[in-house]
Amino acid sequence: MRSHYCGDVNKAHVGEEVTLVGWVNRSRDLGGVVFLDLRDREGLIQVVYDPDLPEVFEVASSLRAEFCVQVKGLVRARPDSQINSDMKTGEIEVLGKELTIINRAAPLPLSMDNHQNNSEEARLKYRYLDLRRPEMTDRLIFRSKVTSAVRRFLDDNGFLDIETPILTKATPEGARDYLVPSRTYKGQFFALPQSPQIFKQLLMMSGFDRYYQIVKCFRDEDLRADRQPEFTQIDIETSFMTSEQVMQKTEEMVRKLFNDLLNVDLGEFPRMSYDEAMTRYGSDKPDLRNPLELVDVADIVKDVEFAVFKGPANDEEGRVTALRIPQGAKLSRKNIDEYTKYVGIYGAKGLAWMKINDLDAGMEGIQSPVLKFLNEDIVKQIIGRTQAGTGDIILFGADKANVVAESMGALRLKAGEDFDLLEGEWRPLWVVDFPMFEKHNGSLHAVHHPFTAPRGITPEQLEADPANQVSDAYDMVLNGCELGGGSVRIHDAKMQAAVFRILGISDEEAEEKFGFLLEALRYGTPPHAGLAFGLDRIIMLMTGAQSIRDVMAFPKTTTAACPLTNAPGFANPEQLKELGVAVVAKEETTEEA
């Protein structure tokens, strides 16, 4: 039905007859001439109809937006005065000779221009229309180019594309599983995979020493702009490669992606330890475009009479930090109150501050509600350590270390944007040396997952002091977004059993959930390591989208619903009976019920 895509016609085709199909982007009847902008996935082209062919002209005059049509005509160069440099096809146009309406379009339920202000609910309900918009079309085409480039790179480097099961067993990956009832085993359930972690490890045990898969994963968790209940991973696993080699190879892949598709040279990725990232930036995925840093001042204020500072400064689990914002003294009290509310979201109880109105004026040039608790020497030490100058403001975080990190780390990012401080367009890095475990509600949890290996110790040493051990793990971070994370895996059955015990997984539970894995570890398992990238996040960053929903064909809402298909929905009672599943009515899901 077509000889060319609309966006592919150019000056080389002048004088040729072409057949095009697509949708009416815009139609303009200027009296004696009809101008039609025809659109397909590759772009727009202008088609001109004049009254010389009355029947065709009449059809052209009847067109409305989003009619699906076929056009046949002659490619000709536009006059110099009519060249549109903003269009890929702006140097040519098609003189229409024939026009067929393939399908008419009813009045549209949403705006289709690039400046659309449709609600997200409407965009998702009519996603098939939203995806016709060039901005959305371009993102999905770009996504396809990325996945093709990833496959080429991994294929060329000896990796094998191997599929793993979608119906599997629940695993402790840190989020809730989506469960699938089994008809043949009534009362039992499959789980949709949160990742192919166990299966890719089993593939290493099977001798497929370089595996990859672009795979769907599922997590029933609370959603954010960069989270969806189903998402796509670039999943990679290797045998006989160290963490350093895995990082080198995957860094090479990402650098090639950016260079080939965006003409961007990311350069060598710096390395930063987890402890350094948390200390300086309050985040294990710091945005290095932001020059602001957290500075510890607990040793300076440990003896002050201000309990808000003194308490955390003398608490082993506490922290007192200062964040200097250049020229931030111009912040009004209302602005500071807004910042105080902002850090409150992350658990902070307040936000102390100090304005340096005139450094040369000594204490007279300092303004702060906590100044009465601080003598001149302490103020000088704080100013010296933060390198504050006239016109700056210092914001303080004082609480448990985790609260300070989260609240002040978030405030650092907000202040960086508010004061337009971001430097450069792309700042990648590797974050390494993660702790093996973190304490939550009095018990230890795996920072990555329970199959991550500790660095350079025996199972006995790990169990003797688990809280202070470092894992052989690594995260790739770009502009404050975690692109992917990975680790060296445990390939020794004794070490895996020790990790399970530390996590409070009994031998019985470990055998019930992972018996097959523990047994496999006894049969010559090679050392192996891997990494998984979030494909949706990569595309979001590369295209400048604000949410991964804008780079997925059919995403869910923030409440994990699909307005297009009205999913989820109620199951047929007969299906539930066959599955042996009973549904508890919503009003009965109370503590009494």
Side-chain angles (χ1 to χ4, degrees), residues 189-362:
F189 295 82
F190 293 103
L192 301 182
Q194 295 185 37
S195 83
Q197 183 62 44
I198 291 179
F199 290 105
K200 66 182 181 180
Q201 288 190 244
L202 291 170
L203 285 170
M204 296 304 102
M205 300 170 192
S206 305
F208 299 97
D209 60 316
R210 291 194 177 193
Y211 141 96
Y212 83 92
Q213 187 180 187
I214 298 178
V215 59
K216 280 284 189 181
C217 300
F218 306 86
R219 294 182 185 177
D220 186 7
E221 60 183 348
D222 297 331
L223 306 181
R224 300 195 297 268
D226 60 347
R227 296 285 175 90
Q228 279 279 294
E230 55 178 314
F231 56 96
T232 307
Q233 282 187 182
I234 303 171
D235 205 51
I236 297 170
E237 196 76 8
T238 69
S239 297
F240 308 111
M241 287 180 71
T242 64
S243 54
E244 183 64 33
Q245 290 171 322
V246 172
M247 285 191 283
Q248 287 177 355
K249 185 57 65 177
T250 52
E251 178 180 324
E252 180 186 347
M253 181 184 79
V254 171
R255 289 175 60 190
K256 183 172 175 58
L257 272 181
F258 274 75
N259 189 60
D260 291 353
L261 298 179
L262 294 182
N263 196 29
V264 168
D265 183 3
L266 292 177
E268 296 291 334
F269 291 18
R271 309 289 173 89
M272 182 180 295
S273 72
Y274 170 87
D275 285 345
E276 181 183 356
M278 296 301 293
T279 299
R280 294 173 62 187
Y281 305 110
S283 172
D284 60 0
K285 47 181 184 296
D287 187 347
L288 298 187
R289 297 173 302 166
N290 185 335
L292 301 180
E293 294 191 22
L294 307 183
V295 177
D296 283 324
V297 295
D299 59 315
I300 298 175
V301 300
K302 65 180 181 179
D303 295 324
V304 301
E305 293 304 315
F306 187 40
V308 172
F309 284 178
K310 185 175 182 179
N314 289 279
D315 182 351
E316 288 186 358
E317 297 182 357
R319 186 179 179 191
V320 183
T321 66
L323 176 68
R324 177 185 70 91
I325 303 177
Q327 299 305 301
K330 63 187 179 183
L331 285 172
S332 67
R333 186 56 189 265
K334 180 182 177 183
N335 297 144
I336 296 173
D337 288 344
E338 289 172 351
Y339 278 2
T340 303
K341 289 180 181 177
Y342 184 75
V343 296
I345 297 172
Y346 301 90
K349 300 179 184 68
L351 184 67
W353 53 273
M354 180 186 295
K355 289 185 178 182
I356 318 300
N357 295 323
D358 186 353
L359 186 60
D360 295 332

Side-chain angles (χ1 to χ4, degrees), residues 42 67 154 257 279-280 317 321 370 479 528 593:
E42 298 299 328
F67 274 35
L154 293 172
L257 272 181
T279 299
R280 294 173 62 187
E317 297 182 357
T321 66
V370 302
N479 293 1
H528 54 286

Side-chain angles (χ1 to χ4, degrees), residues 5 36 50 93 252 296 387 394 403 499 528 533 543 579-580:
Y5 281 104
L36 167 66
D50 58 39
E93 62 187 12
E252 180 186 347
D296 283 324
Q387 299 183 344
I394 302 171
V403 173
V499 169
H528 54 286
F533 289 103
T543 61
L579 291 168

